[in-house]
Amino acid sequence: MCANYLPSRAERLQHQFGVAPPRQGSGKEAFPGYLAPIVRLAEDGSGERECVTACFGLVPAWADLKLSRHTYNARTETVGEKPSFRAAYRKRQFCIVPAEAFFEPNYETGQAVRWKISAASGLDLGIAGIWDWRPNGGPDDQPLISFSMLTINADDHPLMQRFHKPDDEKRMIVLLEPDQYADWLQADTEEARTFFSPYPAQKLQAVPAPKVAMRKAKPRQDDNLPLL
């Protein structure tokens, strides 16, 4: 699972994902309810990619915005049936969540220690996700796009099995290779399931990254601030 990650910076969005960065949401740590960039197919039907700012935690039009605290991850086993996710999944509203790294708790010392997981190649990660739209709830009560990261079981994954509480099921986000991006965004619901496989452990690197208390600063208008 992933409840905290570092969105890709503007220059990586341009160079690695081939999209112009949005005005908000890149380069700052994101938590559920925060704004962050996602990559999806442009709505003009051109088949081109576009990058838009979205809320981390999928919130359908019928739900309260606080739902984002619980819908930041969607299990691939049930994404097509759960009320919060099924409409987005069945409508093939697939997206890529660009990330410099993501964070998970490690309990091997007996206490939760935050670890940072990133690509061993030095490139940013492309996380498979779904997105939805609602007519209000965004900044200044404008229309809001929201998203959820897809997850799979990781009980047997050499790296990701090290995270979360010892008795909990191990989960990991679905990570895509760059040459899969186009196919993922255009997949139908059956084709989408062919992407739900563990990412090779040797292509990832993980290091302890304890949270450090920092002096609070006045937020800028373009920070990926929580909506709630």
Side-chain angles (χ1 to χ4, degrees):
M1 294 186 293
C2 177
N4 174 209
Y5 77 103
L6 188 59
S8 293
R9 300 175 188 275
E11 59 271 17
R12 290 292 186 97
L13 290 171
Q14 185 76 59
H15 296 148
Q16 187 176 328
F17 296 91
V19 292
R23 189 175 63 85
Q24 293 177 301
S26 61
K28 302 287 184 179
E29 281 191 38
F31 298 85
Y34 279 51
L35 295 175
I38 62 169
V39 179
R40 65 177 187 176
L41 289 179
E43 292 197 292
D44 61 7
S46 64
E48 298 295 320
R49 300 177 197 172
E50 66 176 358
C51 188
V52 296
T53 300
C55 172
F56 183 24
L58 193 144
V59 188
W62 49 263
D64 189 282
L65 286 175
K66 293 180 181 179
L67 184 67
S68 65
R69 298 172 181 170
H70 308 283
T71 55
Y72 49 90
N73 291 162
R75 297 172 66 97
T76 54
E77 298 90 339
T78 57
V79 66
E81 288 76 45
K82 290 291 184 180
S84 297
F85 306 124
R86 63 190 179 198
Y89 185 78
R90 293 174 184 178
K91 287 189 286 185
R92 302 162 53 192
Q93 292 176 177
F94 300 139
C95 66
I96 301 165
V97 184
E100 182 176 320
F102 61 99
F103 301 94
E104 300 287 6
N106 181 296
Y107 284 82
E108 292 172 349
T109 63
Q111 297 184 350
V113 177
R114 191 178 78 150
W115 279 49
K116 178 181 179 180
I117 301 102
S118 58
S121 66
L123 296 175
D124 282 6
L125 298 165
I127 303 165
I130 54 173
W131 64 272
D132 209 344
W133 177 91
R134 56 183 291 141
N136 55 19
D140 300 322
D141 206 32
Q142 293 298 302
L144 177 69
I145 299 169
S146 59
F147 70 96
S148 177
M149 298 176 179
L150 294 168
T151 70
I152 57 176
N153 179 273
D155 285 339
D156 298 320
H157 193 271
L159 175 61
M160 299 308 299
Q161 66 176 225
R162 300 179 61 187
F163 302 107
H164 295 283
K165 294 180 180 179
D167 295 332
D168 286 354
E169 179 195 2
K170 310 305 178 184
R171 305 286 300 180
M172 70 179 293
I173 50 181
V174 176
L175 295 169
L176 304 168
E177 296 284 6
D179 62 4
Q180 294 180 307
Y181 293 168
D183 289 339
W184 165 250
L185 293 176
Q186 299 179 68
D188 61 33
T189 54
E190 289 303 313
E191 292 170 338
R193 297 196 173 276
T194 66
F195 294 84
F196 302 159
S197 57
Y199 197 73
Q202 66 271 20
K203 292 188 176 183
L204 297 170
Q205 59 184 5
V207 295
K211 192 75 173 176
V212 178
M214 299 181 67
R215 178 176 61 85
K216 290 186 178 180
K218 183 178 179 180
R220 302 192 315 246
Q221 186 177 6
D222 62 344
D223 281 343
N224 54 337
L225 298 172
L227 292 172
L228 305 177

